[in-house]
């Protein structure tokens, strides 16, 4: 009273096996170009202080590359945008860091008489060599520009360096970008409302 061909049974179980297949392949996000992190709120307003403070707030994605996660040629771009105010004859300093390791330092830069000026900060970096400190190498370049609301003039500065002494790809690296004012002044303030990190190569 019951008939079932062997071919039907074979095809049925083949279907079950295929339809319940789970792909366990892991793809490292750092091998792909595209977005890695996007800030989803304004950063803390850095004002009336000389304490070095991060320009980054929380968001989606990650700012961390795990130990041995880099490859030679890996290239990245940070894009910041925000609002800048400064009193007359002030100074500002920008650092790009991973932990306590400084990848790029603008040094002390003059900045003066800014009122709700819009700034942009672009940072590009490329991995040149892998390894522990002394063997690994990274080149980083930054440009900081702001458009003055008073006369629409554009001011700013640029800075770049190769770090082949303290950078280490064998450890976890978490990106940070900081601001340090030269004087604690209530008229000095800066914050970012946009920060995006992309892998460009």
């Amino acid at each position: 009273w019951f008939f079932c061909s062997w071919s039907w049974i074979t095809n049925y179980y083949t279907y079950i096996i295929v339809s319940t297949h789970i792909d366990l392949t892991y793809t490292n996000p750092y091998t792909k170009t595209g977005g890695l992190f996007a800030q989803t709120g304004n950063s803390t307003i850095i004002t009336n202080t000389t304490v070095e403070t991060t320009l980054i707030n929380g968001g989606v994605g990650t700012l961390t590359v795990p130990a041995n996660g880099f490859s030679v040629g890996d290239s990245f771009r940070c894009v910041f945008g925000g609002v800048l105010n400064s009193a007359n004859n002030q100074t500002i300093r920008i650092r790009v860091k991973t932990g306590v390791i400084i990848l790029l330092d603008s040094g002390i830069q003059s900045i003066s008489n800014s009122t709700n000026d819009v700034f942009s900060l672009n940072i590009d970096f490329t991995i040149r060599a892998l390894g522990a400190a002394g063997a690994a190498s990274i080149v980083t370049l930054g440009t900081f520009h702001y458009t003055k609301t008073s006369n629409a003039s554009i001011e700013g500065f640029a800075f770049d360096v190769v770090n082949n002494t303290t950078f280490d790809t064998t450890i976890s690296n978490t990106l940070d970008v900081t601001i340090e004012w030269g004087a604690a002044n209530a008229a000095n303030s800066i914050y970012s409302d946009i920060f995006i990190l992309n892998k460009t190569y």
Side-chain angles (χ1 to χ4, degrees):
W1 60 275
F2 176 80
F3 174 78
C4 180
S5 71
W6 178 252
S7 61
W8 182 88
I9 294 174
T10 303
N11 290 337
Y12 174 78
Y13 279 103
T14 300
Y15 170 77
I16 293 296
I17 292 170
V18 170
S19 65
T20 59
H21 172 69
I22 299 174
D23 187 355
L24 299 178
T25 303
Y26 170 73
T27 302
N28 184 344
Y30 296 96
T31 65
K32 304 292 184 181
T33 57
L36 295 179
F37 182 87
Q39 183 171 291
T40 55
N42 291 354
S43 72
T44 299
I45 299 175
I46 307 169
T47 184
N48 200 23
T49 181
T50 58
V51 175
E52 181 184 5
T53 306
T54 185
L55 191 60
I56 300 173
N57 196 0
V60 294
T62 182
L63 296 172
T64 300
V65 176
N68 301 306
F70 285 117
S71 297
V72 172
D74 280 353
S75 299
F76 304 84
R77 165 163 279 204
C78 300
V79 177
F80 286 88
V83 178
L84 167 71
N85 290 275
S86 69
N88 190 37
N89 297 323
Q90 302 298 301
T91 63
I92 198 170
R93 186 174 187 175
I94 302 171
R95 296 181 181 92
V96 181
K97 308 170 73 174
T98 170
V100 298
I101 299 169
I102 298 174
L103 304 179
L104 184 63
D105 188 340
S106 73
I108 297 171
Q109 300 288 336
S110 297
I111 195 168
S112 188
N113 289 334
S114 291
T115 304
N116 292 326
D117 295 344
V118 174
F119 79 86
S120 63
L121 169 63
N122 292 333
I123 302 165
D124 292 278
F125 45 102
T126 296
I127 306 300
R128 291 186 169 184
L130 306 177
S137 179
I138 183 173
V139 58
T140 311
L141 183 147
T143 56
F144 180 82
H145 294 99
Y146 53 99
T147 303
K148 298 183 75 67
T149 54
S150 59
N151 57 14
S153 65
I154 298 175
E155 300 181 9
F157 51 87
F159 46 116
D160 74 299
V161 72
V162 174
N163 183 327
N164 54 15
T165 56
T166 60
F167 179 57
D168 186 345
T169 64
T170 68
I171 62 174
S172 176
N173 283 274
T174 300
L175 179 69
D176 194 13
V177 177
T178 65
I179 298 290
E180 182 181 345
W181 288 104
N185 189 315
N188 294 343
S189 69
I190 187 172
Y191 69 88
S192 67
D193 49 23
I194 289 178
F195 165 49
I196 301 169
L197 173 64
N198 284 296
K199 187 173 187 291
T200 55
Y201 184 86

